[in-house]
Amino acid sequence: MPSHRYRDVYSRVEVPLTDRDWPSHRFTAAPLWVPVDLRDGNQALSEPMDPARKRRFFELMVRMGYKEIEVGYPSASQTDYDFVRLIAETEIAPEDVTIVVFTPARRDLIERTVASVRGIRNEVVIHMYTATAPTWRDVVLGRDRAALTELILSGGRDVLELAGHLPNVRFEFSPEVFNLTEPDYVLEVCDAMTGLWDATPERPVILNLPATVEIATPNVYADQIEYMHRNLARRDGVILSVHPHNDRGTGIACAELAVLAGAQRVEGCLFGNGERTGNVDLVTLALNLHAQGIDPMIDFSDIDEIRRTVEYSNRLEVHPRHPYVGDLVHTAYSGTHQDAIKKGFAEHRARARTEGRPESEIEWRVPYLPIDPADLGRSYDAVIRVNSQSGKGGIAYLLEAEYGIELPRRLQIDFARRVQERADSTGLELDAAQLLELFEHEYAAVGGEGGAELLTLQTESCDGIARTSVSIRVDGDEHSGTYEDVGPVEAVTALLRERGIDVEIVSLHQASIARGNDSEALTLLEFLDETGARWVSGRDRSVLTASVTAVLRAARTIAPLAAKPA
């Protein structure tokens, strides 16, 4: 590896801190959490959120209890501007939620940003940023320290002129790439901004110190934060904030040590979405506190609904091993782990009986499970059934080895339960052919077998607008419609919705069934009905027809379609 091409961080940023207090500090309360999913996370998506997805995500964060939310970059796109105006013109933001908007230090963009927040009744934070690190100064901005300071102060004066008179508006400044900026310079710039904006305890200024590109071990970031915490002017008028990224995979540690070093506020994303390797994960940070007996002040009691909404809005799946939320985090395959967990549950129940208190009030100390799955709205079924996890894997292996069908993890769990019921009722072993037969019975026969046929599908683009026209025949009746900026599956769901049937798709997976020289497409679709998440499948030589068939079968379980006599 050509490691000689890189410099260690100590030769780039030397923190003038000879002693440090943060190693002896302990967590006693949660910091202020500020999700930036709708801005920083959104700009990192290959398909940025449309208004519906953005609103659903915002409403989720409000329900979870976040009191300060960065909602967009209104000068960067019309979609972001319109969403901020939606907040101004409706009541989707409760009065106790602070709205944050993001802007560069450029007058015309600041004007656009201030215009977007006019009429918002909530407290508003205008968040201005400029990169300050040497490489950015030299390569990107072409300014020395003095010239960059003047650019930043000019932007700060514009913010003050345009919004300083608004009583519900406060200010935030981010020296982007703080962690690669000389400590004396970033301190100089931050003090200049708090002086310009007259930071006071009654109207504090937020100084956000981002590890925009993570380049050092977490202790270095903690030293940098403690240096600023100790030396900032007007410290009692400053809310010290951090914004770690995860380039080295230590964003969580950086945020935790930064809070121990004096940070009061943490910006990040739910499940860590963001540029490159992502922003720090606010869910993991908060639940780490929960696991230490500290109230994170955010409601995670339905973690699966949170995950579904985030996956829907981001169009990114959460990894099955993701801390706390992944499908496999409460699952043990090892026999020794399974035995310890079962004994832990038994001991927990016994302590509850001895103490005469509900199990939910007893100290949690079950081996291999750092927190009680029930705290997150999960049942104990997956944990108690860990003995059968290898059975789930065997079922999935047989279907894949014999027919090439790869089942998503959550479908593996659902199907394994049905296989177990069949095995218990017959007392016999099921081979691969019987598994396929049972699979088709359980997921391909859902809602009956009325006629479902895709008649036409056409996608075209005109004047920058993509249009999808679709026509289907269901039980002899033809239905058609044309939709803008949606794909084929979304077009079919829209067409069904017009008939009063709302199919809410959680996930859609494509597989195939190989039989000799023949190969058929298999669509596996997870959707929600009144009982929760369910699965159906569609199968055809055409991937598109298989997908449409799956959507129509899901529709039949929600509201049976009227059959037309032959």
Side-chain angles (χ1 to χ4, degrees), residues 17 20-32 178 205-209 218-232 235-243 253-266:
L17 196 68
R20 50 195 53 79
D21 295 329
W22 62 260
S24 62
H25 291 168
R26 298 293 181 268
F27 285 100
T28 58
L32 174 62
F178 154 81
V205 168
I206 301 166
L207 290 177
N208 185 54
L209 307 178
N219 61 296
V220 175
Y221 191 51
D223 281 354
Q224 292 174 310
I225 299 302
E226 184 163 329
Y227 173 79
M228 296 294 289
H229 170 59
R230 290 187 185 186
N231 292 286
L232 279 169
R235 183 63 185 89
D236 62 348
V238 170
I239 297 173
L240 193 58
S241 176
V242 292
H243 182 119
C254 281
E256 291 181 331
L257 297 191
V259 172
L260 296 179
Q264 302 151 284
R265 178 180 183 271
V266 179

Side-chain angles (χ1 to χ4, degrees), residues 37 48 64 94 140 192 219 249 327 381 407 415 472 509 534 553:
D37 300 80
M64 293 174 68
V140 181
N219 61 296
D327 284 336
D381 290 348
L407 300 183
F415 184 46
I472 61 175
H509 304 262
R534 295 186 59 182
R553 283 178 175 151

Side-chain angles (χ1 to χ4, degrees), residues 165-404:
H165 62 287
L166 300 174
N168 65 324
V169 172
R170 292 191 293 111
F171 305 135
E172 175 178 356
F173 172 64
S174 284
E176 189 189 3
V177 211
F178 154 81
N179 58 323
L180 274 170
T181 304
E182 306 93 329
D184 66 312
Y185 179 58
V186 77
L187 184 63
E188 172 190 325
V189 171
C190 287
D191 284 347
M193 291 299 291
T194 56
L196 173 67
W197 286 341
D198 190 23
T200 65
E202 294 73 31
R203 195 178 186 181
V205 168
I206 301 166
L207 290 177
N208 185 54
L209 307 178
T212 310
V213 181
E214 191 183 33
I215 43 78
T217 50
N219 61 296
V220 175
Y221 191 51
D223 281 354
Q224 292 174 310
I225 299 302
E226 184 163 329
Y227 173 79
M228 296 294 289
H229 170 59
R230 290 187 185 186
N231 292 286
L232 279 169
R234 300 179 181 243
R235 183 63 185 89
D236 62 348
V238 170
I239 297 173
L240 193 58
S241 176
V242 292
H243 182 119
H245 277 250
N246 198 44
D247 299 87
R248 300 179 75 252
T250 56
I252 294 290
C254 281
E256 291 181 331
L257 297 191
V259 172
L260 296 179
Q264 302 151 284
R265 178 180 183 271
V266 179
E267 295 184 354
C269 288
L270 274 64
F271 310 128
N273 178 45
E275 301 282 5
R276 304 178 309 280
T277 57
N279 294 282
V280 71
D281 176 4
L282 293 187
V283 177
T284 299
L285 281 171
L287 290 175
N288 283 353
L289 290 183
H290 173 69
Q292 297 176 61
I294 298 170
D295 186 353
M297 307 302 290
I298 303 295
D299 183 3
F300 295 99
S301 60
D302 191 351
I303 195 74
D304 290 321
E305 172 59 23
I306 295 169
R307 181 191 63 193
R308 283 193 293 266
T309 299
V310 173
E311 288 179 331
Y312 164 80
S313 296
N314 288 341
R315 293 181 177 171
L316 294 172
E317 289 192 7
V318 174
H319 194 279
R321 296 291 184 189
H322 196 102
Y324 300 109
V325 69
D327 284 336
L328 298 179
V329 297
H330 298 135
T331 302
Y333 291 100
S334 164
T336 55
H337 288 206
Q338 295 167 3
D339 181 64
I341 290 170
K342 287 191 296 181
K343 290 176 179 176
F345 273 127
E347 193 269 345
H348 186 78
R349 290 190 293 269
R351 278 190 291 120
R353 288 194 298 270
T354 300
E355 297 181 24
R357 292 192 293 158
E359 291 180 26
S360 59
E361 296 180 6
I362 300 297
E363 179 187 353
W364 183 258
R365 56 185 195 189
V366 174
Y368 300 111
L369 296 177
I371 68 172
D372 185 346
D375 292 348
L376 307 179
R378 288 183 166 175
S379 70
Y380 295 123
D381 290 348
V383 179
I384 295 170
R385 289 165 49 217
V386 292
N387 285 336
S388 64
Q389 290 298 313
S390 57
K392 293 178 178 66
I395 293 166
Y397 172 79
L398 283 175
L399 288 177
E400 182 176 357
E402 189 70 20
Y403 303 109

Side-chain angles (χ1 to χ4, degrees), residues 34-65:
V34 184
V36 296
D37 300 80
L38 303 182
R39 193 276 301 175
D40 200 345
N42 187 50
Q43 71 188 34
L45 298 174
S46 58
E47 298 179 44
M49 298 178 212
D50 57 30
R53 287 189 289 151
K54 203 165 194 181
R55 178 168 182 168
R56 180 168 169 180
F57 206 148
F58 177 79
E59 291 173 341
L60 168 74
M61 292 188 287
V62 169
R63 290 196 305 273
M64 293 174 68

Side-chain angles (χ1 to χ4, degrees), residues 7 31 80 92 99 106 155 188 190 203 213 221 271 275 277 293 320 341 352 386 394 406 412 421 451 478 486 519 556:
R7 295 167 57 195
D80 273 24
I92 66 170
I99 302 301
R106 207 177 88 188
E188 172 190 325
C190 287
R203 195 178 186 181
V213 181
Y221 191 51
F271 310 128
E275 301 282 5
T277 57
I341 290 170
V386 292
E406 296 184 27
Q412 288 182 33
E421 291 172 356
E478 294 185 13
V486 299
S519 179
R556 289 193 181 91

